[in-house]
Amino acid sequence: MSITDRKNKEKLEMRKRILDAARKIFLQKGYESTSMRNIASEIDYSAGTIYFHFKDKSEIFHELHKEGFRLLLSQMKILDSVAQPFERLKAVGRVFIKFAQDNKDYYNLMFLVEESTSNSTEQGGFQIAKEAINHLSGIIKECQNEGRFKDMDIEYLTFMILSSVHGICALFCKDRTVSFENKTNEELMQKGYDCFVSLLEKG
């Protein structure tokens, strides 16, 4: 391995350490209470080292946000090979729920940890989130072209489906399912989604 290759590898490894530490701190403290110093302390480095890789905590937050959506979108796109649009739509919902179950930290950062101020829309940081929504909307449009969801506005329907599936995931990720004492999280999420799909099938 050349010196340049080794330096690039070390840089990528350091970025990963910073992002892993930041994910933990953002979830513990929230966006407002997290500082570059907090993140640096987590990995026993100076804040100056963190600034060498990221200009501020907003850039770190956006990178974590993009990482999560890239992972989610890659899993959703695996289903592009499913020919029947409505079957693909149902499968996408299950993938979304499984993603939340397997990646609770990412899910919380992507959807539930709030970043204040106008920074949340800067630098194209949320463009990939829009790409994921457009992907879902495209599947719904295909379903409509085959005769489902007639006369329904695609944007409203996309919002409704996303909100419903997100609600299932958010209740799980924030441990708000304890009121359902006789059901496990797995049962609530799977069977709850099946009930939602039954309503879509009637639409």
Coordinates of all heavy atoms in Angstrom, one line a residue, residues 7 10 21 23 45 56 74 80 93 98 110 113 155 157 181:
K7 N -2.8 7.0 3.8 CA -3.3 8.2 4.4 C -4.8 8.3 4.1 O -5.6 8.8 5.0 CB -2.6 9.4 3.8 CG -1.2 9.6 4.4 CD -0.5 10.9 3.9 CE 0.9 11.1 4.5 NZ 1.5 12.3 4.0
E10 N -6.6 6.0 6.4 CA -6.6 6.5 7.8 C -7.6 7.6 7.9 O -8.3 7.7 8.9 CB -5.2 7.0 8.2 CG -4.2 5.9 8.4 CD -2.8 6.4 8.6 OE1 -2.6 7.6 8.4 OE2 -1.9 5.6 8.9
A21 N -19.2 8.3 16.8 CA -19.3 9.0 18.1 C -20.4 10.0 18.0 O -21.2 10.2 19.0 CB -17.9 9.7 18.3
R23 N -23.1 10.0 16.2 CA -24.4 9.4 16.2 C -24.8 9.1 17.7 O -26.0 9.4 18.1 CB -24.4 8.1 15.4 CG -25.8 7.4 15.3 CD -25.7 6.1 14.6 NE -25.0 6.2 13.3 CZ -23.8 5.7 13.0 NH1 -23.1 5.0 14.0 NH2 -23.2 5.8 11.9
Y45 N -10.1 12.6 21.3 CA -9.3 13.5 20.4 C -9.6 14.9 20.7 O -10.6 15.2 21.4 CB -9.6 13.2 18.9 CG -8.8 12.1 18.3 CD1 -9.3 10.8 18.4 CD2 -7.6 12.3 17.7 CE1 -8.5 9.7 17.9 CE2 -6.8 11.2 17.2 CZ -7.3 9.9 17.3 OH -6.6 8.9 16.8
D56 N -18.4 21.8 11.0 CA -19.3 22.0 12.1 C -20.2 20.8 12.4 O -20.2 19.9 11.6 CB -20.1 23.3 12.0 CG -20.9 23.3 10.7 OD1 -21.3 22.2 10.2 OD2 -21.3 24.4 10.2
S74 N -31.1 2.0 -0.7 CA -30.5 0.9 -1.4 C -31.3 -0.4 -1.1 O -31.5 -1.2 -2.0 CB -29.1 0.7 -0.9 OG -29.0 0.3 0.5
D80 N -36.9 -3.3 -6.9 CA -37.3 -2.8 -8.2 C -37.6 -4.0 -9.2 O -38.2 -3.9 -10.2 CB -36.2 -1.9 -8.8 CG -36.2 -0.6 -8.2 OD1 -37.1 -0.3 -7.4 OD2 -35.2 0.2 -8.4
G93 N -43.0 -1.2 2.2 CA -43.4 -0.9 3.5 C -42.7 -1.8 4.6 O -42.3 -1.4 5.6
K98 N -38.5 -3.0 8.6 CA -37.4 -3.8 9.0 C -36.1 -2.9 9.2 O -35.3 -3.2 10.1 CB -37.1 -4.8 7.9 CG -36.0 -5.9 8.2 CD -36.5 -6.8 9.4 CE -35.6 -8.0 9.5 NZ -34.2 -7.8 9.7
M110 N -32.6 10.1 11.4 CA -33.2 10.5 10.1 C -34.5 11.2 10.3 O -34.9 12.1 9.6 CB -33.4 9.2 9.3 CG -32.1 8.6 8.8 SD -32.3 6.9 8.3 CE -33.4 7.0 6.9
V113 N -34.7 13.0 15.5 CA -33.9 14.0 16.2 C -34.0 15.3 15.4 O -33.7 15.3 14.2 CB -32.4 13.6 16.2 CG1 -31.5 14.7 16.8 CG2 -32.3 12.4 17.1
E155 N -49.5 12.7 -4.5 CA -48.7 13.3 -3.5 C -49.4 13.2 -2.1 O -48.7 12.8 -1.1 CB -48.5 14.8 -3.8 CG -47.4 15.4 -2.9 CD -47.0 16.8 -3.4 OE1 -47.5 17.3 -4.5 OE2 -46.1 17.4 -2.8
L157 N -51.5 10.8 -1.3 CA -51.4 9.4 -1.0 C -50.0 8.9 -0.5 O -49.9 8.1 0.4 CB -51.9 8.5 -2.2 CG -52.0 7.0 -2.0 CD1 -52.9 6.7 -0.8 CD2 -52.5 6.3 -3.3
E181 N -49.9 -4.3 26.1 CA -49.2 -5.2 27.0 C -49.2 -6.6 26.6 O -48.3 -7.4 26.9 CB -49.9 -5.1 28.4 CG -49.8 -3.7 29.1 CD -50.5 -3.7 30.4 OE1 -51.1 -4.7 30.8 OE2 -50.4 -2.6 31.0

